[in-house]
Amino acid sequence: MGFLGKSVIAGMSIVFLAACTPKIVQQDKSSSTKVNSEMYRFISSLMSKMTIEEKIGQLNLLTGGDAVTGTTVNSNIEQKIKNGEVGGFFSLSTPQKIRKAQELAVKEARLKIPLIFGMDVIHGYKTTFPIPLGLSCSWDMNLIQKTARIAAEEASADGLNWTFSPMVDVSRDPRWGRVSEGNGEDPFLGAEIAKAMVKGYQGDDLSKANTIMACVKHFALYGASEAGRDYNTVDMSRQRMYNEYLLPYKAAVDAGVGSVMTSFNEIDGIPATANKWLVTDLLRNDWNFKGFVVTDYTGINEMVDHGFGNLQEVSAKALQAGVDMDMVGEGFLTTLKKSYQEGKISMQEIDRACRLVLEAKYKLGLFEDPFKYCDEERARTQIYTSENLKFAREVAGKSFVLLKNNEVLPLKKQGTIALVGPLANTRENMPGTWSVSTDLSKAISVKEGLENILGSRAKILHAMGTNLLDDAEYQKRATMFGRDIPRDNRSNEVMLKEAVNLAKKSDVIVAALGESSEMSGESSSRTDIKIPQNQQKLLEELVKTGKPVVLVLFTGRPLDLTWENQHVPAILNVWFGGSQTGNAIADVLFGDVNPSGKLSMTFPQNVGQIPLYYNHKNTGRPLEGPWFQKFRSNYLDVTNEPLYPFGYGLSYTKFDFSEPRLDKDNFKAGEKVQLSVTLSNRGKFDGEEVVQLYISDMVGSVTRPVKELKAFQKVFLKSGQSKEVKFEITEDMLKFYNSELQFVSEPGEFKVFVGNSSSSVKEAKFRLN
């Protein structure tokens, strides 16, 4: 039985492929077959000359030390390369450094096998784009693909040929810090982004010098860790996996991703890195994945602490499960030969892993030219260009989500503006987490962005107002990796008074508050997802002045903004926008760009509602009608509703939707239903709106979500313009995995919803016969 087969991706995407996803170029089959046979012969010949030590060496991925993302570093690297004990490096960059390492491999090692060089190129390279959660809020697949394309061009110009991206873990828990690196809570939106990112990185020919191999991660279910605590246990039914979590990984595989990274968590009681069902049965056999599988940082070694065996045992289990490359931990390098000699693993298993790593290098063209990525002229001319920075500014503006606006925004480019807050003048925190290659000192701060766009037309008064956090030790943890915000050692009262006095002299207050960039990301889980208390106190005092207040919110996760929503007249969520954050913020604040971002993850009213997501299921006692009702599924102290729902985001203009129109109200397999809706821009500004289509299966053989995103289009309309937006509904869009894990559609009644968020929709009904 196929699992999440091709019909899922094709069927669910056909509705809006032209509108949302660039066409994927298909390689000629005869040409592909010839290349594959030549590759097979070449690698078979090479492997026939390799010793067991050299084969195992190809499975060893070491860190070069430029940007370490874990707690372990490697030693005696040069000798290991000469001995043929290294397959590749990550976190080593620049053509000069990579050429030096590559020369050791191809000139001094016995078989002269080139190395592969990877890096965490997550949301841009030197030119940095918004954090992935922010980028997903653009709902613009062409835009997202281009960010990956530019990242690949810059990274490859700096000597790299492999990225550990995209991360596509579905997550519904904003306590988890790594929601900042993903695409939110919805598997369908995540799948579309996964395809766009893979296509952007890899292009249509991996052997080209300006493409890099993608690595989809973290396989699998990493975003569902218990309590939102990083690296924690995951436990869920197969039915939930199939229907709610696995689709984005499968979409990346179908898009041709070259490599897959296993996750830190366990699945069905077995760590993912040694889970044969996951890596072999599902990924290779059911999904037909042909690339190689790499662990996460010391993922094999960490299975010892899982209680899964000693290093030799867990290394053997990982290889037997289907893992091909060991990142940093060197468990493969130091134990596999012994396991083979003891009959615990086979040469066939070693050969499988070695072949897949060598095939990746062959596809990248490294055997033909090991130094193809070591072009110093490209490094000088194709990285951090003015053209790339211009695009980064555009992308950032499209990622921002306007959460509230009581006719305060856009601001006028005149008068006196009080710019207040610990995040108002920190370049280092603008790129966001996992921007390991960017030059933090070159990012544009909020203060600089306002100054750039205003010039002498308005006066800016600046005060910090408070530190990022009252707790100095907590602030150290929240500003690691060069993101320091120097502390003001004056008392809170003195700082607050200074900020309030400036605010009273202004016409409008811009408060740059929220999280620092390292308050989200890996190992940055939080139990309190409010704005830090000292910052909220500052905000309260600013609101008391009676002046218009705009909260420019920095965050890498959905926050509890209940108080802010009740009291602050305007809230612009800017996530962390990358290299051009400050300029992009100014563009939106002053109306040069009309915000069009839509949330890809629900904002709760408080942390007690978590996990809270739009595509939940009903209970047997759903709340119908007003809150509160005894013996219904609701809370005593707060409604079931989110503060801001999935798909939500305001604009400076007003969009209206007509009632959805269907060309038929029933159809059968093989037929289609056409839905059309008229979108009208009734406001004073030109703008973009995301038209979202959701479907609800009213009766199923297993319980079904209240609604599921199945299609969307991002539409630009001038002020006063209207447009008919069309979708096609197919049987494949109605399919799901039943209790036997068969991918089926079932006859019956369906509702279709169209609107500009998951909660603001108009509906129609149809029937599948």
Side-chain angles (χ1 to χ4, degrees), residues 7 154 211 226 304 343 347 375 515 751:
S7 58
E154 288 197 352
T211 62
E226 290 181 356
V304 175
M347 184 57 68
D375 185 339
E515 297 185 319
K751 284 185 179 180

Side-chain angles (χ1 to χ4, degrees), residues 644-660:
Y644 305 120
F646 175 85
Y648 171 84
L650 302 175
S651 170
Y652 292 154
T653 195
K654 177 176 172 54
F655 292 100
D656 287 340
F657 288 79
S658 71
E659 295 293 330

Side-chain angles (χ1 to χ4, degrees), residues 150-163:
I150 288 174
E153 289 172 348
E154 288 197 352
S156 62
D158 215 22
L160 300 167
N161 44 45
W162 186 23
T163 177

Side-chain angles (χ1 to χ4, degrees), residues 90-108:
F90 86 99
S91 297
L92 184 70
S93 61
T94 75
Q96 297 89 341
K97 291 180 181 179
I98 286 176
R99 178 177 287 277
K100 181 180 178 181
Q102 195 71 287
E103 284 178 345
L104 289 173
V106 301
K107 292 184 179 180
E108 300 196 36

Side-chain angles (χ1 to χ4, degrees), residues 134-139 396-403 572-573 575 594-600 647-651 688-690 692 714 756:
L135 193 57
S136 70
C137 293
S138 72
W139 293 56
K398 288 179 179 289
S399 74
F400 300 161
V401 183
L402 184 60
L403 298 176
L572 179 66
N573 180 8
W575 309 107
N594 188 351
S596 61
K598 299 286 186 177
L599 294 178
S600 60
Y648 171 84
L650 302 175
S651 170
E688 290 181 294
E689 179 62 291
V690 179
Q692 304 164 36
K714 193 161 191 177
N756 59 5

